[in-house]
């Protein structure tokens, strides 16, 4: 706004005392001070309000005004409540430094002037920013991108003093004009947003992290090119981006809220553009998957992989190794039980939801920016999403199919460690994500086995309780793999038959037979090692083991009985 506008508003009670030729100066803000030297708090363009408490003699006016003029303030408004008429020495000092001077009537509070100026300045900035946003939107929707989300976030910071970030549903930072958010804050905000969205509450959502208040705006394209509204929020909740603004928007005027909604629409256009760019990678994964499932010749699959490698790993000179990751999202009231009751809701197609989610999960959480998914190819079939993940080739024997040690490549638990909290919030009480990871293979012949391995690992994860579960190929080589597939009633009967007599005895006699049995099996039946671990005399240990055998009619010197006890303890 201009200084001249202050005189046009009677409610402010201002009288011009000097500087009529400078009234076209722009006002960027307001500062109230009674310091002798307020320079450290000035950045230029302010209207300075003062009650003149800093003035003790006429000699004080000159240095005070000189400091203001040097800082580039727009004007000075002095209150009449303290001294009555504004001192002549102050008027003359302002005249010498060409600083406009206003007198503030004693009936007008400085807060009234401050509120008026802030409202006017914010409104004009919002109007200027809205025009820029609109121009940017037209550029992005009609041709090449106009700089992406970062440009708009820069404008929010420079014109409205708003720090803002674009986050993925897992809390990964896609864009941000200010300092990056810390990992824990990003994850917390993403989780808060997903939880609020699942309740059906309209945005923006208010959230607090580490003592700072944020407003969370969902990024959905509601413009001319927008897709029809989803039938169910669960179809998009795990894939939508969000705009996190460091401010409390609960008391914002409608005009500012509308502006931020416009910003989210603009970012949504960019998101849709990036989404379209994934089509080639998805098609590559789909082609390879169809060949593998159809039992195509290895040479044909290898040819497809040679096409995919340069797209997914540009510049890589040698053929990569590959891993397969399978994910599934189920919706239903019993989805977290791990049993057959967790059925997907018929109205929701699970494959596309799992596909978008898996594309996000496979991004390194330390990588920022919307382009970090460029090397991920995910297809979907039915309710399953299947990712073909390229890995740089590691030194190996020419005919080797498995890549080095089991720890090479992706690990199931590591994939979900940083995203489990926000995804659990988005899945709420009726959703479930299960994920399986294969070992790395280095040939087309190995892909079919890798796909089956990943699918089997996912079924192992699905047999576990919890909203977000994963299993890897290394878990398929253990006897523990068999336990989740034992029916619940068989489990209960088997463990009760072997362990209930021991539990009853322990309850009545405090004999600690169950801990003794566990330690004995852990020590492979070694009397000496077990007695040392339990701090018992060997004869006492022999007595306890004898009591276990008597109560259960089993013989702990026999391998079969040891195995039955071991499995009963694991299943309990």
């Amino acid at each position: 706004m201009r200084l001249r506008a202050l005189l046009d508003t009677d409610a402010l009670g201002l009288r011009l005392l000097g500087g009529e030729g400078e009234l076209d100066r722009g006002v960027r803000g307001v500062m109230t001070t009674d310091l002798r030297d307020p320079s450290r708090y000035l950045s230029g363009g302010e209207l300075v309000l003062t009650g003149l408490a800093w003035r003790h003699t006429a000699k004080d006016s000159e240095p005070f005004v000189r400091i203001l003029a040097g800082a580039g303030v727009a004007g000075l408004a002095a209150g009449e409540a303290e001294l009555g008429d504004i001192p002549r020495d102050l008027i003359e000092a302002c005249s010498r430094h060409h600083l406009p001077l206003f007198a503030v009537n004693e009936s007008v509070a400085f807060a009234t002037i401050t509120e008026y100026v802030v409202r006017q300045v914010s409104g004009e900035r919002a109007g200027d920013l809205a025009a820029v946003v609109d121009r940017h939107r037209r550029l992005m929707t009609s041709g090449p991108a106009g700089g992406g989300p970062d440009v708009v976030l820069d404008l929010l910071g420079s014109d409205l003093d708003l720090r803002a970030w674009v986050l993925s549903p897992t809390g990964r930072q896609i864009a941000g004009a200010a300092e990056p958010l810390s990992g824990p804050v990003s994850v917390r905000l993403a989780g808060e947003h997903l939880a609020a969205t699942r309740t059906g509450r309209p945005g923006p959502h208010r959230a607090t992290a580490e003592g700072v208040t944020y407003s969370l705006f969902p990024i959905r394209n509601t413009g001319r090119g927008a897709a029809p509204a989803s039938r169910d929020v669960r179809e998009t909740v795990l894939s939508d981006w969000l705009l996190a603004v460091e401010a409390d928007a609960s008391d914002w005027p409608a005009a500012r809220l509308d502006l931020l909604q416009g910003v989210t629409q603009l970012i949504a256009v960019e998101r849709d553009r990036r989404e379209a760019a994934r089509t080639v990678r998805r098609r590559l994964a789909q082609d390879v998957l169809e060949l593998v499932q159809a039992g195509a010749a290895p040479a044909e699959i290898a040819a497809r992989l040679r096409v995919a490698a340069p797209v997914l790993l540009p510049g890589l000179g040698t053929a990569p190794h590959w891993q397969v990751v399978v994910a599934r999202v189920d919706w239903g009231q019993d989805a977290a039980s791990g049993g057959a009751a967790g059925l997907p809701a018929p109205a929701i197609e699970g494959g596309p939801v799992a596909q978008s989610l898996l594309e996000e999960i496979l991004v390194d959480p330390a990588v920022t920016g919307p382009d970090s998914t460029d090397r991920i190819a995910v297809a979907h079939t039915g309710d399953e999403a299947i990712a073909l993940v390229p890995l740089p080739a590691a030194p190996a024997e020419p005919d080797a199919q498995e890549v080095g040690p089991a720890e090479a490549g992706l690990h199931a638990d590591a994939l979900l460690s940083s995203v489990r909290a926000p995804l659990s919030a988005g899945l709420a009480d009726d959703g479930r994500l299960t994920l399986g990871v294969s070992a790395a293979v280095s040939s087309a012949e190995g892909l079919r086995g890798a796909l089956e391995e990943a699918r089997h690992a996912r079924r192992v994860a699905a047999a576990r309780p919890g909203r977000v579960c994963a299993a890897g190929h290394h878990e398929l080589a253990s006897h523990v793999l068999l336990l989740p597939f034992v029916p619940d009633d068989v489990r209960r009967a088997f463990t009760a038959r072997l362990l209930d007599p021991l539990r009853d005895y322990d309850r009545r006699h405090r004999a600690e037979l169950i801990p003794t049995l566990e330690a004995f099996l852990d020590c492979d039946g070694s009397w000496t090692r077990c007695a040392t671990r339990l701090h018992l005399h060997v004869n006492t240990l022999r007595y306890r083991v004898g009591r276990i055998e008597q109560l259960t009619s089993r013989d702990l010197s026999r391998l079969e009985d040891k195995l039955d006890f071991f499995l009963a303890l694991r299943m309990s």
Side-chain angles (χ1 to χ4, degrees):
M1 65 174 296
R2 304 296 175 186
L3 279 174
R4 192 179 304 279
L6 297 173
L7 294 175
D8 296 335
T9 307
D10 295 337
L12 299 182
L14 297 178
R15 290 184 296 110
L16 182 65
L17 300 181
E20 185 173 358
E22 305 290 336
L23 292 180
D24 286 328
R25 291 186 181 186
V27 180
R28 297 180 55 192
V30 184
M31 179 192 175
T32 299
T33 184
D34 275 310
L35 296 174
R36 288 175 176 268
D37 180 4
S39 56
R40 75 184 74 174
Y41 305 109
L42 298 172
S43 58
E46 296 93 349
L47 172 67
V48 175
L49 305 177
T50 180
L52 300 177
W54 50 266
R55 182 187 177 278
H56 301 295
T57 69
K59 294 180 180 180
D60 295 333
S61 294
E62 171 63 25
F64 180 78
V65 173
R66 185 172 60 248
I67 289 170
L68 299 188
V73 303
L76 174 65
E80 296 178 323
E82 184 73 20
L83 301 177
D85 292 338
I86 304 302
R88 189 66 195 172
D89 49 89
L90 179 60
I91 297 174
E92 291 174 351
C94 287
S95 177
R96 283 193 296 272
H97 290 280
H98 306 286
L99 181 66
L101 175 64
F102 300 88
V104 182
N105 190 281
E106 62 180 352
S107 64
V108 178
F110 282 177
T112 302
I113 300 173
T114 300
E115 182 181 354
Y116 174 83
V117 173
V118 169
R119 187 167 60 247
Q120 294 299 315
V121 170
S122 297
E124 290 184 8
R125 285 182 179 174
D128 292 342
L129 179 58
V132 175
V133 167
D134 185 62
R135 182 170 68 254
H136 201 69
R137 181 189 294 113
R138 290 197 300 271
L139 284 173
M140 293 179 67
T141 55
S142 63
D150 285 304
V151 172
V152 185
L153 300 188
D154 280 332
L155 292 172
L156 286 178
S158 62
D159 283 30
L160 292 183
D161 297 326
L162 292 176
R163 287 157 42 98
W165 301 264
V166 178
L167 305 178
S168 79
T170 64
R172 181 175 59 87
Q173 182 167 313
I174 295 166
E179 290 285 330
L181 292 171
S182 69
V185 170
S186 295
V187 168
R188 179 177 177 83
L189 294 182
E192 294 272 357
H193 170 73
L194 290 173
T197 301
R198 284 304 312 276
T199 65
R201 290 190 284 120
H205 307 122
R206 186 179 183 276
T208 302
E210 296 185 358
V212 180
T213 299
Y214 298 86
S215 295
L216 311 177
F217 294 80
I219 296 177
R220 302 189 186 102
N221 186 8
T222 57
R224 210 168 30 179
S230 173
R231 293 169 298 170
D232 193 310
V233 68
R234 293 176 294 183
E235 294 182 6
T236 59
V237 66
L238 297 177
S239 59
D240 281 344
W241 292 354
L242 68 134
L243 177 66
V245 180
E246 190 181 299
D248 186 351
S250 58
D251 58 351
W252 281 5
R256 176 169 283 206
L257 287 173
D258 288 345
L259 173 61
L260 266 293
Q261 295 297 344
V263 169
T264 64
Q265 292 174 24
L266 178 57
I267 297 172
V269 173
E270 178 68 7
R271 179 184 179 278
D272 291 343
R273 190 187 301 278
R274 309 275 180 176
E275 188 76 11
R278 292 181 175 179
T279 304
V280 173
R281 299 190 297 278
R282 289 175 172 176
R283 185 69 254 174
L284 285 172
Q286 196 74 40
D287 289 346
V288 174
L289 175 63
E290 289 173 358
L291 289 174
V292 170
Q293 295 191 126
E300 187 177 359
I301 299 174
R304 290 288 185 180
L305 290 177
R306 284 194 293 274
V307 172
V311 176
L312 300 178
L313 286 176
L316 191 67
T318 57
H321 300 288
W322 304 89
Q323 273 183 288
V324 176
V325 183
V326 174
R328 177 172 173 140
V329 176
D330 292 314
W331 301 103
Q333 291 301 320
D334 300 311
S337 66
L343 299 175
I348 302 176
E349 190 179 355
V353 176
Q355 182 181 42
S356 296
L357 187 54
L358 189 52
E359 286 171 335
E360 173 62 29
I361 290 173
L362 290 174
V363 178
D364 184 344
V367 176
T368 61
D371 292 324
S372 51
T373 59
D374 280 353
R375 298 182 178 184
I376 296 168
V378 184
H380 73 82
T381 173
D383 287 328
E384 237 179 18
I386 301 168
L388 188 65
V389 182
L391 302 171
E397 295 299 324
D399 297 326
Q401 180 164 311
E402 294 295 331
V403 181
E407 58 268 17
L410 302 175
H411 293 264
D413 289 338
L415 284 176
L416 296 181
S417 61
S418 62
V419 302
R420 182 174 273 109
L423 291 183
S424 296
L427 292 164
D429 295 329
D430 60 347
R432 190 156 194 260
L433 167 67
T434 52
L435 184 146
V437 181
S438 78
V441 296
S442 58
S443 68
E445 292 91 340
L447 275 183
R448 184 174 181 83
L451 175 59
E452 291 306 314
E453 190 174 58
R455 281 176 166 162
H456 199 46
R458 193 206 64 78
R459 288 193 289 270
V460 171
R464 298 169 177 168
R467 290 285 162 204
V468 180
C469 297
H473 59 90
H474 60 282
E475 298 181 64
L476 304 185
S478 170
H479 59 273
V480 180
L481 164 69
L482 303 174
L483 301 185
F485 298 99
V486 178
D488 287 344
D489 54 346
V490 175
R491 284 191 195 210
R492 286 191 291 269
F494 181 73
T495 57
R497 187 164 55 250
L498 276 178
L499 302 182
D500 278 2
L502 306 182
R503 292 189 180 113
D504 290 342
Y505 191 88
D506 281 348
R507 200 161 35 245
R508 286 185 282 111
H509 300 284
R510 299 181 180 178
E512 298 187 351
L513 296 185
I514 291 289
T516 300
L517 175 61
E518 290 175 331
F520 188 71
L521 295 175
D522 284 344
C523 293
D524 299 322
S526 168
W527 296 100
T528 303
R529 282 193 290 128
C530 184
T532 301
R533 175 185 293 189
L534 296 176
H535 306 290
L536 297 174
H537 192 278
V538 172
N539 288 340
T540 304
L541 176 60
R542 291 184 184 277
Y543 171 80
R544 289 188 182 179
V545 170
R547 178 64 66 185
I548 291 171
E549 292 174 332
Q550 179 185 10
L551 292 171
T552 60
S553 302
R554 297 295 185 110
D555 183 355
L556 277 169
S557 65
R558 298 177 67 246
L559 176 62
E560 294 88 344
D561 288 342
K562 286 181 182 177
L563 182 58
D564 283 349
F565 277 122
F566 176 81
L567 292 174
L569 289 169
R570 294 303 294 265
M571 287 191 291
S572 65

